[in-house]
Amino acid sequence: MGFAYAPTVATYINITLHPPLPLPLPLRRSIPNRTTTLCVMKLNNNINNNNNDDDSDPLLLAATTSAFLRYHQTNQPEPLFVDPYAACLVPPNYVPEDTMQNLHPYCLATKYIDDKLLSRVSNIDGVKQLVLLTDGMDTRPYRLKWPTSTIIFDISPERIFKTAAENLEGVGAKISKSCLLYHIPLESSDIKQSLQFKGFNGNRSSVWALQGFPVMTLAKLEDVLSMISSLAMKGSLFVGELPAQLSEAEPIIESNTRQWMEKLFMSNGFRVEMIDYEGVAQSPEDKLASGHYRNILFVAEQLRLSDDQMETWRREFQRVEAEGDEDGFEEL
């Protein structure tokens, strides 16, 4: 199953960007009175999506904006996180159009997702499956320290991923030892089959994250949830950000986003919780950028059996029935 998409567009102006600063000291847990110089991208959904020029490619511009936010956050005196590879993904001559002296919600979401992924993956025994639905410039496979035997699947636009991979290779980026990274192009005709072909196993626990992934309609979001629900083992974690456009698509949704989220996710087997960006801030004095950034931060748990689990159960049931194993029936 492939996904069509209507991407978010970021508008830019050209200014000089200073060379990367030295990496800061390790981040601290308590950060009072943080004032951070970061940017807020302008959204414009009216640009022609068929234009292949890099300067007007909406997917590339949106991905570059996110990379810039990570780069700028890394160079703050006391950053939420450190992304040593973001600089190689940001062209030297431009930044997003608007800037403000506040902590950007995207950075809070990135920190929250990082922590959730590392915590859950570290608690999985044996092979660990991590699926990232991204914009193609996600550096998590390289910048986070994954435990041994972690298999990472990155689902993202192929052209952007390839360009980013070349830049990352050029600066020596490598994933953790004894881990694997597979790319699944967003343009694949059947993403589910591609994941399974690369070795994804629905009988094993998995962790899923969505940030920057260019699926911008309710119908396509439902396709994504349906795919994850069929693949993810019961108890698997799903964390990420949904674009604001989804909740703003219909007035009834915007007026009661929480109820809409709970209904949508539960219909696909997930129990979901919306996360308050301000609640993620490490200090109550942190000044959160407001404006038009209205993405939805969430964390969800899979309550259903995956298709692979159901098939395993079906085969076992048939075996027990054929053998007349009463003890087996009790176990089932």
Side-chain angles (χ1 to χ4, degrees):
M1 174 178 61
F3 304 125
Y5 46 84
T8 300
V9 179
T11 305
Y12 296 82
I13 59 173
N14 290 331
I15 69 171
T16 301
L17 182 65
H18 296 292
L21 301 174
L23 290 180
L25 296 173
L27 57 92
R28 301 174 185 172
R29 298 303 299 171
S30 179
I31 306 174
N33 297 316
R34 183 192 294 111
T35 300
T36 307
T37 304
L38 288 175
C39 57
V40 179
M41 58 183 170
K42 283 191 173 180
L43 303 179
N44 181 350
N45 289 319
N46 296 321
I47 292 181
N48 183 358
N49 295 335
N50 295 321
N51 192 334
N52 293 322
D53 185 354
D54 283 353
D55 292 336
S56 60
D57 181 342
L59 298 182
L60 178 61
L61 293 178
T64 304
T65 294
S66 296
F68 175 84
L69 288 169
R70 298 195 305 272
Y71 158 75
H72 219 303
Q73 177 63 206
T74 295
N75 288 312
Q76 297 307 307
E78 294 177 327
L80 288 170
F81 56 84
V82 173
D83 186 346
Y85 305 113
C88 78
L89 304 175
V90 180
N93 296 321
Y94 66 82
V95 297
E97 188 174 65
D98 296 332
T99 59
M100 56 172 45
Q101 301 288 324
N102 293 100
L103 183 61
H104 198 283
Y106 169 83
C107 296
L108 288 172
T110 299
K111 172 62 175 172
Y112 179 83
I113 295 170
D114 286 355
D115 289 348
K116 283 291 184 182
L117 295 181
L118 284 172
S119 175
R120 179 57 70 94
V121 169
S122 298
N123 287 318
I124 297 176
D125 295 329
V127 176
K128 302 143 181 71
Q129 300 180 120
L130 173 63
V131 184
L132 304 175
L133 296 98
T134 78
D135 55 20
M137 290 190 181
D138 196 310
T139 56
R140 287 187 175 96
Y142 307 96
R143 65 181 176 82
L144 298 181
K145 294 183 179 180
W146 302 108
T148 300
S149 302
T150 300
I151 303 176
I152 305 171
F153 304 89
D154 183 303
I155 305 174
S156 59
E158 184 172 26
R159 188 171 68 87
I160 296 177
F161 180 88
K162 285 186 175 180
T163 300
E166 292 175 0
N167 290 353
L168 289 164
E169 183 180 2
V171 297
K174 296 181 180 180
I175 64 173
S176 301
K177 188 176 181 180
S178 300
C179 296
L180 295 173
L181 172 62
Y182 295 112
H183 180 241
I184 309 296
L186 171 62
E187 300 81 2
S188 300
S189 59
D190 193 326
I191 293 177
K192 177 179 177 179
Q193 187 179 64
S194 298
L195 277 168
Q196 293 170 324
F197 180 77
K198 294 290 187 180
F200 183 90
N201 187 340
N203 282 311
R204 292 180 179 149
S205 183
S206 56
V207 184
W208 300 70
L210 185 152
Q211 191 177 34
F213 191 63
V215 176
M216 308 296 289
T217 67
L218 292 177
K220 300 312 171 186
L221 172 60
E222 290 176 354
D223 288 343
V224 171
L225 290 174
S226 176
M227 180 195 71
I228 297 175
S229 180
S230 69
L231 288 169
M233 178 180 172
K234 183 179 180 180
S236 294
L237 181 79
F238 181 26
V239 62
E241 272 191 305
L242 296 182
Q245 291 91 323
L246 296 177
S247 63
E248 296 168 354
E250 300 179 20
I252 190 172
I253 294 177
E254 189 173 11
S255 63
N256 199 336
T257 304
R258 187 176 301 277
Q259 183 177 349
W260 167 74
M261 285 276 291
E262 291 175 352
K263 182 178 179 181
L264 175 64
F265 275 71
M266 185 56 73
S267 67
N268 287 279
F270 291 97
R271 179 172 53 226
V272 68
E273 177 186 359
M274 290 177 58
I275 306 299
D276 184 2
Y277 286 91
E278 293 186 358
V280 178
Q282 294 179 344
S283 168
E285 285 124 12
D286 286 344
K287 297 178 181 179
L288 185 64
S290 55
H292 52 255
Y293 192 91
R294 300 181 62 188
N295 286 3
I296 303 168
L297 183 61
F298 70 91
V299 60
E301 180 186 3
Q302 164 73 302
L303 302 179
R304 295 177 180 172
L305 299 178
S306 68
D307 288 354
D308 283 349
Q309 286 180 295
M310 289 296 295
E311 177 61 22
T312 298
W313 186 91
R314 185 189 64 81
R315 289 198 302 266
E316 184 63 15
F317 182 86
Q318 290 178 339
R319 180 193 68 78
V320 170
E321 187 178 44
E323 295 177 2
D325 185 353
E326 294 183 2
D327 292 337
F329 272 113
E330 291 179 2
E331 293 176 4
L332 286 175

